[in-house]
Each structure stands twice: as C-alpha cells, then as structure tokens.
Amino acid sequence: VNGIEIYSMKIDSKVTSRFAHNVITSQAVNRGNVSKEVFFDVELPKTAFITDFSMTIDGVTYPGTIKEKEAAKKQYEKAVSRGQTAGLVKASGRKTEKFTVSVNIKAASKVTFELSYEELLKRQFGKYEMFIKVKPKQLVKDFEIEVDIFEPQGITDLEAEGTFITNELQNIIKKTFSGKKGHISFKPTLDQQRTCASCSQSVLDGDFTVRYDVKRTTADNLQIVNGYFVHFFAPTNLPMLSKNIIFVMDTSGSMHGRAMEQTKEALLKILDDIKEDDFFNFILFDSEVSTWKDTLIKATPENLDEARKFVRLISADGMTNLHGGLMRGIDILNAAHEENLVPKRSASIIIMLTDGYPNVGVSSTEVIEREVKKAIDGRYPLYNLGFGGGVDYGFLERMALENKGLARRIYPDSDAPLQLQGFYDEVSNPMLIDVELNYPENEISDLTTNSFKHFYDGSEIVVAGRFVDSNQNHLTVDVRGEGANDALSYTTQQDAEQTAQAFQEQEYIFGEYIERLWAYLTIEQLLEKRITATGEEKENLTAEALALSLKYKFVTPLTSMVVTKPEENEEGIADKPTEGIDITILLVIFMFLLQRLVPVSLSLSSPLYHTYASQPSWYTSVDGDPHFIISVPEKKDAICFNINENPGTILNLINDPVTGITVNGELIGDKRANSDAMIQNSYFGKLGIANKHLGLKLTVTPEKITIQNGDEKTGFTWLDSVTLQQAGLTLIINRKKNLVLSMGSGASFVVVLHQVWKKHPLHQDFLGLYTLEGDKLSEHTHGLLGQFFQPIDFTILEIHPGSDPKKPDATMIVKNNELTVTRGWQKDYRRDPKHGFDIPCWFVHDNGAGLIDGVHTDYIVSSLF
C-alpha cells in the first residue's frame, strides 16, 4: 500500500498444556524511491499478555522493554518530544487490544516486526479455543498461520475455522492430530487471497479460530516441572444439579425499543432451555420493582408457558431502581432456601441485566455494593450483564466479583440475543457446588485460587502453585465438592517423573511453561482481586502484580512496553513525500496580503472567514465545559459529548504520527468549587499545539501565546494583532478574539478566547479549539477529536420523549454499539466568539462512552507536549 509491500507475514503458535505462546512476524519493504512511514497494527485477545516486541531495520534490531506503566509513558513521551519514532503497547481491557507502532524506512529498505504474546486457553462448552485476528490489509506473498499443540493427556478432536474462509480456502486449512500432538497450517497463495480473480484486495480479514479438547480418563491432570505445578480439574459424566435462577431485568425507559426486544427474544430462547427440575422467577425494575411470582416457581411446562406470556408483555418505561430490583431478587432466593422450597442439592444463581446507572431509590453504588454483598453473604454467585456502552461497568464488575460471580458486556449489535443466550448457556449446566482443591500447606506456597462456588459442565478449573522446596517431585491433592446425588471426595497424586515421561517431545516446550502459566494465572487473579480491594490491601495487590509482570515480562494493565528507534537523520526526514500545497495555507497567505493592502482587522466574523468556516468540510471542536462537537456532513447532523475530569488533567485531543501534529489541552476549574454542583465545572485553560517534524511548539493560554522553535521563543499577548509566517508556521492573532494557525501541511486550527468579567466571583477566562480541514491529517490520526477526522456513520432509531420535554431521547447505532442519546444543542463560537450560535446535535452521555474508542481516561497524558 502506497509503495510499502508486506512480503511476509507469519503467525506461529505453540500450545503446551493449554498455555499458548504466539509469535507474529511481519516483513515489509519500501518499494518507493523516498522514505516512507510503515505501520504495524495487531489486534490481540484481551486475555493475552504481550511478552516481547522488536523491529529490525536494515539488519539492526531494536528491542522493546517492559516497564512500569508511568515509567514507560515518560520514556515514550520523551522519545516523541525528541522527534523519535516510538511505539507503545497498553492493555486496554476491551474485547481485543490493539498494538500499533510506526517507523520511517528509507527507499528500498526492509523492516521486520516481531510480536510475542501468551495466554491460558479457557475451556468452554467442552472445547479450548484460540482466537487469531487476521487483517494484513493487502495481498501478502508469503502468508502463513501455523499452530502446534501438545497435550500430555492426548487430543480427542481438533478444528479450525475462519469468518473469512470461503469454500476454496477451506481446503487450504491443513489439520492433523494423533496422540498428544496436533498441527494446523493455513498458507494461501497470492491468487487465493484475492477477493476476485483480477482484484488487488485481500479476502483475509476476520477471525481465525482453533478449537480442541483432550482425553479424560480421570477428572484430574497434574503436571510438575522444576518446582512448579499445575492442576487441571474437569470431571465428566456427573449428573447435572438442578438450578434456582433469578433473572433481575432492567425495564427502564432507556431499554425501550431494540434493547428490550432483543432481551425478550433471548429470554424466550432461555425459557426453552430451562429444565423441568429447575426453579426460576423474573424481577423487573424501572422506577418501581415488580415480580412475576412472589416465590421461585418450578419449571413445569404450564409455568413455562405462563412465563413466555409474561415475557412477551414486558415493556420499558421510567427510571432505574437497580438496588430495589436486586434486593428483591436476593430476598426471594434467600426465602426459597430458608423455607426449603428448592432442593438442598441445587445451584442458585442471580443474573442481573441493566443498560444504565441506578438513579431511583438507593443510587450510591458504594451503598448498593455493600448491601448486596451482605444480603447474598457468599451463598451463591451474582452475574451482572451490562447492556451497551451506557453502564457503569466498573460498578457491575466489582459487585459481581465480590459475590463470586463475574460481569460481562453485552454489545448492542444484531447478535445481542445470542450473546445473552450464550452467557446463560455457560452457567446453565452446574455439575458441582462448593468445589475445593486442597494441597499440603507446608509444601506449597503462592497458590492460585483453589475454591470455587460452582463447576459447570464443559468448563475446567485450573490451579497452579509453587513448591516450598523446588526439588520436590511429588504432590497429593484432596478434592471435595457437592454433586447432585452425593458429596465428591477423593485424593489424587502425581510425580514429576510422570510429567517428564509425558513430555519427551522437547521441541513442543517453550521455556519454563508451567512457571509462566503459574505467573500468568497469579497476575490475572491479583488484578481481579485488586478491582474490589481498597487502601493498603489494594496497594499490596498492585505491588505484587507489578513485580510479577516485570519479572516475567508481561504487558498488563500495570505495565507498558515501549520500543524506541534512534532519531532519524535529517536526510531521512527530508525524503518524506510532500502532500502538495495546503489550501489553508493559501487562505492564510491571502489574508496576510489583504491585511497589508487594507488596514483592517480580520476576525471570524469577516465575510472571508465566514465563507471558509461555513463550508461543509470536516471539522470538530471543543469549547465550554468542555463540550465536544463532531460534525457529520454526510448526515447533515452532528454528535456531541462532554468530558468530565478534574482541573489539572491534560487530555490528548489530536495525535497524528504521520504529519507529526499533536494537540493537548489542560483543564482549569472555576475560581472556587461550587458546593451545590456534583461535578466542578472545567474548561481548557491551556493548549499545546506542536509539529514534531518542524520542531515547533505553540502554547496558548488566556493571557499569552508562546511560539517555540528549537531553543528560540517568541511571545505575544491577546492585545496584539499579528500575522506571522516562519519555518512552516502561519499564525494570525485577531486581537482579544481568536487566532488562526496552520503548521506544515496538516490541518489548521482556530483558538477562540473567552474572557469573563475579571471580578466574576466564580468563572475565569478559558479557550475553545476548532479544527479546519481535518481531512489534511492522516488516517492514523487519533485523540478525543482526532479520531473523528475520518468519516463516521450512525443510525438513529426509536425517537421517544426523554426526561426533558424539549429534548427527546433516541437509540443511536454507532461503531456497533447501541447508545441512548438525547437531542440537544451546543454552542459553536467559530463565527461569533462572544455569543456563539446553537448547533443541534445528538448528545452521547457518560463521557462519550460507546462513541469514543476505549474510555475517556485513555486520553489523559502527563504533560502538554
């Protein structure tokens, strides 16, 4: 693409006892006659930890280093400020996480990227699953996926599929397994990668999934290597326990329309799967709480038919009394146990689904967490499903983990009913309750979680630990649990020699795999415990997880990997191709000439600027408290959102690694906090605009404008009327109103000055930022504003009355998310810096959740430049 050819991409996976070590190697060459930027983008499963990265340019290798997150961030920002090429990996916690690095390579030069990551494969529905994202973005001469699996228990079945696999490509997937070994390879030719015989586009775009299972002669498999052990526990052929299940459903107004229809569709399918020995009930909450029945009801055919009629009649209205709904469900389940309405040997579960925040009754999330934990008292798990992007997912996750359950996001896409039903399927077949795997205390240290409330059919429990004596080679385990008919109790044991015999094929083993598996599982569980911990306990968990992450070189939420290539020489930078003359620069030059000929001050309200600024080109803006306005010309509409953060926070607004332009803004607050306000007002009090390729930095405050070119500084105040051109910078200051700025061939910006009465008891001066010709920046531009310089599509459905009669609510489908949005207005001060004018827009709540990539805190940076 654009003169850059990826001539080789290989994905090599080695799986040893469910623990996968994956290496992605990509090789590219610059076929052009000038230096060009090469981007390496990889999407990884969120359960994976990156362990290594390097890039090799013209035979010289530049390795990545894993550091504590803040230290890595400072190194990265220092490299960027020096104009160096740098890449940063962060664990985002989303469904997949993305690693991106770019490097400038000379004409006819080659670059090799190599990324390694590891993960413990989870067993669900009787299969282990490995997910590989395939997206080379162009035809690749040498493309290959190779997977080697080694399981000492033996492999029973092995399959591979891809969302992009056609009938022809299906025959290219080679699959073999025998005994302990399994192998999969996928190596399409150039012609086989084409979307059609004469096309240059690649069909390789989607998910490649490998699934397999192992032979099980017993419930347990123990492995001991070099002072560490892992215990896999997955009994089969046990009778199913009956379930006592409470569905606690949000039926508030925000669930109206598609979300409610999808939820009802899923519930009806779930009712088809409920077994006759199960007990169940429905609790609905909006402003009030209602129940289907006063007690748990047995799932007889007659009761199931009645339940289906009830589900079909569910409607959405009102606000969100989450606390009341959840407590009612807990009370009913507790009463069923106390009054012996349900079998003694049965598994009780609460599944709660919501799409919003609690705002009626008890709305404090801390109080809700505390009271729910007290009411459940460890008796059964709570599973929280967060529908869409408008939920406080951190609250749902904490509450679930405190009650031995888990939280799961339900993405508001067309398959939302399948997501809901799929989650239910995971927990619908309990085989054991109160499972404990006990190991000799005096022999084992650093044990991972070894007690589990439920064991579900098709899953697997994994426990790992370290021997006190690293030379110990024998382990005895006491296994206990409660089954449908009787208690499970037995002892199993293993010798290290038995493990060694099973692993005679050394080529399948990558390093100290059991030790790394133990470290992986320990870090994962420490991070999970950290979510619900506070104070000193949280600090200790953080320190322990960080130490292990650094020791075993895992990129986790506490660490980052940074790779820095030494600064390019001047010739390499100069070889970059130019994009042609920027129309914005022509405009500013024309304004400069006009100002020389006619002694007038040009402002945003002048006819020339008015004509330019009103063109339906890409623009975004942020102004006020701070309000973001995203123009969507294709829809002749706009999207808005606010960011609520504390004064002193610095937000990344624009970052384009290709043009070198970055814009960051620092928030200020009112002169004093408003005691009546829940959140303090905040505004941009300082902007940092830079072009690292030109070595230019512009600092703008309500008092002054400072230009830094290398070590040379030039300063102006807002009382000046200035037109300036130097070293790629074009700047016009319109006295006490605004400034128009262009740097190099990228976008242009307008900074609006908002001045308030100096003796105002509360407010102070602040700034607004408007981008012009955003399409002049590259497709790799990001940031709170920058990510919207590329076209964005959205659909508005089901407009209905909101809490404010003048501002209706609606459902917005955007980026595969389903959001509740509100029709409103935001002020645009481009043409009138004093009064502004109203821009109608669809307002996205909760700091732009579901609209912006990631969460808003991902955009917080440590310094203005």
Coordinates of all heavy atoms in Angstrom, one line a residue, residues 85-128:
T85 N 10.9 8.0 16.5 CA 9.9 7.0 16.2 C 9.7 6.1 17.4 O 10.7 5.5 17.9 CB 10.2 6.2 15.0 OG1 10.4 7.1 13.9 CG2 9.1 5.2 14.7
A86 N 8.5 6.0 18.0 CA 8.3 5.2 19.1 C 7.0 4.5 19.1 O 6.0 5.0 18.4 CB 8.4 6.1 20.4
G87 N 6.9 3.4 19.7 CA 5.6 2.6 19.8 C 5.3 2.3 21.2 O 6.2 2.0 22.0
L88 N 4.0 2.3 21.6 CA 3.6 2.0 22.9 C 2.6 0.9 22.9 O 1.6 1.0 22.2 CB 3.1 3.3 23.6 CG 2.8 3.2 25.1 CD1 4.1 3.0 25.9 CD2 2.1 4.5 25.6
V89 N 2.7 -0.1 23.8 CA 1.7 -1.1 23.9 C 1.0 -0.9 25.3 O 1.6 -0.7 26.3 CB 2.3 -2.5 24.0 CG1 1.2 -3.6 24.1 CG2 3.1 -2.7 22.7
K90 N -0.3 -0.9 25.3 CA -1.1 -0.7 26.5 C -2.2 -1.8 26.6 O -2.8 -2.1 25.6 CB -1.7 0.6 26.7 CG -0.7 1.7 26.8 CD -1.3 3.1 27.2 CE -2.1 3.7 26.1 NZ -2.6 5.0 26.4
A91 N -2.4 -2.3 27.8 CA -3.5 -3.3 28.0 C -4.8 -2.5 28.2 O -4.9 -1.8 29.1 CB -3.3 -4.2 29.2
S92 N -5.7 -2.6 27.2 CA -6.9 -1.7 27.2 C -8.1 -2.3 27.9 O -8.9 -1.6 28.4 CB -7.3 -1.4 25.8 OG -7.7 -2.5 25.1
G93 N -8.1 -3.6 28.1 CA -9.2 -4.2 28.7 C -10.5 -4.4 27.9 O -11.5 -4.8 28.3
R94 N -10.4 -4.0 26.6 CA -11.5 -4.2 25.7 C -11.6 -5.6 25.2 O -10.8 -6.4 25.6 CB -11.4 -3.2 24.5 CG -11.3 -1.7 24.9 CD -12.6 -1.1 25.3 NE -13.5 -1.0 24.2 CZ -14.7 -0.5 24.3 NH1 -15.1 0.0 25.4 NH2 -15.4 -0.4 23.2
K95 N -12.5 -5.9 24.3 CA -12.6 -7.3 23.8 C -11.3 -7.7 23.1 O -10.8 -8.8 23.3 CB -13.8 -7.4 22.8 CG -14.0 -8.8 22.2 CD -15.2 -8.8 21.3 CE -15.4 -10.2 20.8 NZ -16.6 -10.3 19.8
T96 N -10.8 -6.8 22.3 CA -9.4 -7.0 21.8 C -8.6 -5.8 22.2 O -9.2 -4.7 22.4 CB -9.4 -7.2 20.3 OG1 -10.0 -6.1 19.6 CG2 -10.1 -8.4 19.9
E97 N -7.3 -5.9 22.2 CA -6.5 -4.7 22.4 C -5.6 -4.6 21.2 O -5.2 -5.6 20.6 CB -5.7 -4.8 23.7 CG -4.9 -6.1 23.9 CD -4.4 -6.3 25.3 OE1 -5.0 -5.6 26.2 OE2 -3.5 -7.0 25.5
K98 N -5.2 -3.3 20.9 CA -4.5 -3.1 19.7 C -3.1 -2.6 20.0 O -2.9 -1.7 20.8 CB -5.3 -2.0 18.8 CG -4.7 -1.9 17.4 CD -5.6 -1.1 16.6 CE -5.2 -1.0 15.1 NZ -6.1 -0.2 14.3
F99 N -2.1 -3.1 19.3 CA -0.8 -2.7 19.4 C -0.4 -2.0 18.1 O -0.6 -2.6 17.0 CB 0.2 -3.8 19.7 CG 1.6 -3.5 19.5 CD1 2.2 -2.5 20.2 CD2 2.4 -4.1 18.5 CE1 3.6 -2.1 20.0 CE2 3.7 -3.8 18.3 CZ 4.3 -2.8 19.1
T100 N 0.1 -0.8 18.1 CA 0.4 -0.1 16.9 C 1.8 0.5 17.1 O 2.1 1.1 18.1 CB -0.5 1.1 16.6 OG1 -1.8 0.5 16.4 CG2 -0.2 1.8 15.3
V101 N 2.7 0.3 16.1 CA 4.0 1.0 16.0 C 4.2 1.4 14.6 O 3.8 0.8 13.6 CB 5.1 0.1 16.6 CG1 5.3 -1.1 15.6 CG2 6.4 0.9 16.8
S102 N 4.9 2.6 14.4 CA 5.2 3.1 13.1 C 6.7 3.4 13.0 O 7.3 3.7 14.1 CB 4.4 4.3 12.7 OG 4.8 5.4 13.5
V103 N 7.3 3.2 11.9 CA 8.7 3.5 11.7 C 8.9 4.1 10.3 O 8.3 3.6 9.3 CB 9.6 2.3 12.0 CG1 9.2 1.2 11.0 CG2 11.0 2.6 11.9
N104 N 9.8 5.0 10.2 CA 10.1 5.6 8.9 C 11.3 4.8 8.3 O 12.3 4.7 8.9 CB 10.5 7.1 9.0 CG 10.6 7.8 7.7 OD1 9.6 7.9 7.0 ND2 11.8 8.2 7.4
I105 N 11.1 4.2 7.1 CA 12.2 3.5 6.5 C 12.6 4.0 5.1 O 11.7 4.5 4.4 CB 11.9 2.0 6.4 CG1 10.7 1.7 5.5 CG2 11.6 1.4 7.7 CD1 10.5 0.2 5.2
K106 N 13.8 4.0 4.8 CA 14.3 4.6 3.6 C 13.9 3.8 2.4 O 13.4 2.7 2.5 CB 15.9 4.6 3.7 CG 16.4 5.5 4.8 CD 17.9 5.4 4.9 CE 18.5 6.2 6.0 NZ 19.9 6.1 6.1
A107 N 14.1 4.4 1.2 CA 13.8 3.7 0.0 C 14.6 2.4 -0.2 O 15.7 2.4 0.2 CB 14.1 4.7 -1.2
A108 N 13.9 1.4 -0.6 CA 14.5 0.1 -0.8 C 14.9 -0.6 0.4 O 15.6 -1.6 0.4 CB 15.7 0.2 -1.8
S109 N 14.6 -0.1 1.6 CA 14.9 -0.7 2.9 C 13.8 -1.7 3.3 O 12.7 -1.6 2.9 CB 15.2 0.4 3.9 OG 16.4 1.1 3.7
K110 N 14.2 -2.6 4.2 CA 13.3 -3.6 4.8 C 13.2 -3.4 6.3 O 14.1 -2.9 7.0 CB 13.8 -5.0 4.5 CG 13.8 -5.3 3.0 CD 14.3 -6.7 2.8 CE 14.4 -7.1 1.3 NZ 14.9 -8.5 1.1
V111 N 12.0 -3.8 6.8 CA 11.8 -3.8 8.2 C 11.1 -5.1 8.6 O 10.2 -5.6 7.9 CB 11.0 -2.6 8.7 CG1 9.6 -2.5 8.0 CG2 10.8 -2.5 10.2
T112 N 11.5 -5.7 9.8 CA 10.8 -6.8 10.3 C 10.3 -6.5 11.7 O 11.0 -6.0 12.6 CB 11.8 -8.0 10.4 OG1 12.3 -8.4 9.1 CG2 11.1 -9.3 11.0
F113 N 9.0 -6.8 11.9 CA 8.4 -6.6 13.2 C 8.1 -8.0 13.8 O 7.7 -8.9 13.0 CB 7.0 -5.9 13.1 CG 7.1 -4.5 12.5 CD1 6.8 -4.3 11.1 CD2 7.5 -3.4 13.2 CE1 6.8 -3.0 10.6 CE2 7.6 -2.2 12.7 CZ 7.2 -2.0 11.4
E114 N 8.4 -8.2 15.1 CA 8.1 -9.5 15.7 C 7.5 -9.2 17.1 O 8.0 -8.6 17.9 CB 9.4 -10.3 15.9 CG 9.1 -11.7 16.4 CD 10.3 -12.6 16.4 OE1 10.7 -13.0 15.3 OE2 10.9 -12.8 17.5
L115 N 6.2 -9.7 17.2 CA 5.5 -9.5 18.4 C 5.1 -10.9 19.0 O 4.7 -11.8 18.3 CB 4.2 -8.8 18.1 CG 3.3 -8.5 19.3 CD1 3.9 -7.4 20.2 CD2 1.9 -8.1 18.9
S116 N 5.4 -11.1 20.4 CA 5.1 -12.3 21.0 C 4.0 -12.0 22.1 O 4.1 -11.0 22.8 CB 6.3 -12.9 21.7 OG 7.3 -13.2 20.7
Y117 N 3.1 -13.0 22.3 CA 2.1 -12.9 23.4 C 1.7 -14.3 23.9 O 1.9 -15.2 23.1 CB 0.9 -12.1 23.0 CG 0.0 -12.7 21.9 CD1 -1.1 -13.4 22.2 CD2 0.3 -12.4 20.6 CE1 -1.9 -14.0 21.3 CE2 -0.5 -13.0 19.6 CZ -1.6 -13.7 19.9 OH -2.4 -14.3 19.0
E118 N 1.3 -14.3 25.1 CA 0.9 -15.6 25.7 C -0.4 -15.5 26.4 O -0.9 -14.5 26.8 CB 2.0 -16.0 26.8 CG 3.3 -16.3 26.1 CD 4.4 -16.6 27.2 OE1 4.2 -16.5 28.4 OE2 5.6 -16.9 26.7
E119 N -1.1 -16.7 26.4 CA -2.4 -16.7 27.1 C -2.7 -18.1 27.5 O -2.3 -19.1 26.9 CB -3.5 -16.1 26.2 CG -3.9 -17.0 25.0 CD -5.1 -16.4 24.2 OE1 -6.0 -16.0 24.9 OE2 -5.1 -16.6 23.0
L120 N -3.5 -18.3 28.6 CA -4.0 -19.6 29.0 C -5.4 -19.8 28.4 O -6.3 -19.0 28.5 CB -4.2 -19.6 30.5 CG -4.8 -20.9 31.1 CD1 -3.9 -22.1 30.8 CD2 -5.0 -20.7 32.6
L121 N -5.5 -20.8 27.6 CA -6.7 -21.0 26.8 C -7.8 -21.6 27.8 O -7.6 -22.5 28.5 CB -6.5 -22.1 25.7 CG -5.4 -21.7 24.7 CD1 -5.4 -22.8 23.6 CD2 -5.7 -20.3 24.1
K122 N -9.0 -20.9 27.8 CA -10.1 -21.3 28.6 C -10.9 -22.4 27.9 O -11.1 -22.4 26.7 CB -10.9 -20.1 29.0 CG -10.2 -18.9 29.6 CD -9.8 -19.3 31.1 CE -9.4 -18.0 31.8 NZ -8.2 -17.3 31.3
R123 N -11.5 -23.3 28.7 CA -12.4 -24.3 28.2 C -13.8 -23.9 28.4 O -14.2 -23.6 29.5 CB -12.1 -25.6 28.9 CG -12.8 -26.8 28.3 CD -12.4 -28.1 28.9 NE -13.0 -29.3 28.3 CZ -13.9 -30.0 28.8 NH1 -14.5 -29.7 30.0 NH2 -14.4 -31.1 28.1
Q124 N -14.6 -23.9 27.3 CA -16.0 -23.6 27.4 C -16.7 -24.5 26.4 O -16.3 -24.8 25.3 CB -16.3 -22.1 26.9 CG -15.9 -21.1 28.0 CD -16.4 -19.7 27.6 OE1 -16.5 -19.4 26.4 NE2 -16.5 -18.8 28.5
F125 N -17.9 -25.0 26.9 CA -18.7 -25.9 26.1 C -17.9 -27.1 25.6 O -18.0 -27.6 24.5 CB -19.3 -25.2 24.9 CG -20.1 -23.9 25.3 CD1 -19.7 -22.7 24.9 CD2 -21.1 -24.0 26.2 CE1 -20.4 -21.5 25.2 CE2 -21.8 -22.9 26.6 CZ -21.5 -21.6 26.1
G126 N -16.9 -27.5 26.4 CA -16.2 -28.8 26.1 C -15.0 -28.6 25.1 O -14.4 -29.6 24.7
K127 N -14.6 -27.3 24.8 CA -13.5 -27.1 23.9 C -12.6 -25.9 24.4 O -13.1 -25.0 25.0 CB -14.1 -26.7 22.5 CG -14.9 -27.7 21.8 CD -14.1 -28.8 21.2 CE -15.0 -29.9 20.6 NZ -15.6 -29.4 19.4
Y128 N -11.3 -26.1 24.1 CA -10.4 -25.0 24.3 C -10.4 -24.2 23.0 O -10.5 -24.7 21.9 CB -9.0 -25.5 24.6 CG -8.9 -26.3 25.8 CD1 -8.9 -27.7 25.7 CD2 -8.9 -25.8 27.1 CE1 -8.8 -28.5 26.8 CE2 -8.8 -26.6 28.2 CZ -8.8 -27.9 28.1 OH -8.7 -28.7 29.2

